[in-house]
Amino acid sequence: MNRGLVCILFFSFFVSLSLKAQFPDLRFSHITAEQGLSNNEIVSIVQDKEGFIWLGSLDGLNKFDGYEIKVYKHNSSFNSLTSNYINQLFIDSHDLLWINTSNGISLYNRDQDNFINLRVYKGVDAQNNNFVTSMVEDSKGILIVANDRGSIFQYDRQNNKFTTLGNKIIPSILSLSLFNDTIILVGTRAGLFTYNRKNNQLKNIKVINPQQDKTLSITSMVIVGQKLYVGT
């Protein structure tokens, strides 16, 4: 891994004191199921270019325009949300909204206000291999997706299909981040890994909780400058 990349670990919740110093009068208003949310357990939030706030929950997708909430859920229609259990929302460079769920991926169709549903894996035990946990996009617009079975996939936009990257077995993947177009940072239930897309090499980076002397689960990551911030 690049020596210039510094790993900073934040255990449990990261609270920024500098933010409080800059905004001493910061106030929060709350949106809950009482205001129309499908579920109070929100796991992912994004904003599209039209200004809509999308909130992914453990029981449905919510679109908030600043005043009202519209809820999307799975139903008998083939173009409904593929699953109500959402793991991640992702907006790509084309302003497309991808909803990564426990049963594959739903791509939001803005023109029809419905969804195009995709499976990252169509082989044996497909149901258990389509629990999609994370998505990132490289500088060329290629989407990279992971599931909780330890597989990484690459999306071919032209042919509308996913292909598996490499043949390495990685512990259950929770998060992805790109160091560059070659190196993928892979957060798992068994620590942090790097995957090289060019030579198919997988390396483990030891991330130990010094208080408990055990490997940490990496639930989220973000690179700021030359620092990697890791959530556990």
Side-chain angles (χ1 to χ4, degrees):
M1 188 176 179
N2 192 300
R3 289 176 295 178
L5 190 64
V6 180
C7 182
I8 300 178
L9 301 181
F10 289 80
F11 303 101
S12 298
F13 297 100
F14 169 65
V15 179
S16 175
L17 297 179
S18 62
L19 182 64
K20 184 177 180 180
Q22 293 177 36
F23 305 100
D25 297 324
L26 195 63
R27 296 290 185 271
F28 294 91
S29 58
H30 300 274
I31 302 173
T32 68
E34 292 183 358
Q35 285 76 45
L37 281 181
S38 62
N39 186 271
N40 284 332
E41 294 190 61
I42 302 299
V43 296
S44 186
I45 303 174
V46 295
Q47 183 177 25
D48 63 24
K49 289 184 178 179
E50 294 183 348
F52 291 109
I53 303 294
W54 296 86
L55 304 101
S57 80
L58 299 184
D59 188 26
L61 176 67
N62 305 266
K63 181 171 73 171
F64 182 53
D65 64 4
Y67 301 96
E68 297 180 344
I69 297 171
K70 182 173 182 178
V71 174
Y72 299 84
K73 284 195 173 187
H74 173 72
N75 57 45
S76 58
S77 173
F78 74 93
N79 55 12
S80 72
L81 198 65
T82 186
S83 170
N84 291 329
Y85 193 106
I86 296 173
N87 293 311
Q88 183 203 26
L89 303 179
F90 184 81
I91 294 181
D92 68 12
S93 58
H94 301 279
D95 198 36
L96 298 175
L97 172 64
W98 302 80
I99 302 98
N100 300 314
T101 80
S102 62
N103 187 35
I105 299 173
S106 290
L107 172 61
Y108 179 61
N109 183 339
R110 184 176 285 109
D111 293 334
Q112 301 294 325
D113 194 31
N114 57 23
F115 302 91
I116 300 168
N117 294 318
L118 305 168
R119 298 290 182 267
V120 298
Y121 182 83
K122 297 182 179 180
V124 178
D125 198 20
Q127 177 64 43
N128 290 325
N129 280 279
N130 276 287
F131 194 101
V132 180
T133 55
S134 188
M135 174 183 286
V136 291
E137 182 181 16
D138 69 14
S139 65
K140 298 178 182 178
I142 298 174
L143 296 174
I144 300 165
V145 179
N147 68 9
D148 74 337
R149 289 299 182 96
S151 297
I152 301 176
F153 305 87
Q154 183 171 293
Y155 181 59
D156 183 341
R157 292 181 189 264
Q158 184 174 359
N159 295 307
N160 192 33
K161 69 176 183 178
F162 291 89
T163 56
T164 305
L165 288 179
N167 53 11
K168 301 290 185 179
I169 301 299
I170 304 174
S172 181
I173 299 174
L174 301 174
S175 58
L176 296 176
S177 185
L178 292 179
F179 182 57
N180 51 43
D181 281 355
T182 299
I183 302 298
I184 304 173
L185 299 169
V186 185
T188 78
R189 296 187 188 278
L192 180 64
F193 292 78
T194 61
Y195 175 73
N196 189 308
R197 294 166 69 186
K198 287 186 177 180
N199 59 25
N200 195 33
Q201 286 188 351
L202 181 70
K203 295 182 179 180
N204 180 226
I205 300 174
K206 296 296 182 182
V207 181
I208 303 295
N209 183 342
Q211 297 178 342
Q212 300 178 357
D213 193 27
K214 69 176 184 179
T215 302
L216 297 169
S217 292
I218 310 300
T219 58
S220 58
M221 296 178 286
V222 63
I223 297 175
V224 180
Q226 289 296 305
K227 293 181 180 179
L228 172 64
Y229 293 84
V230 177
T232 68

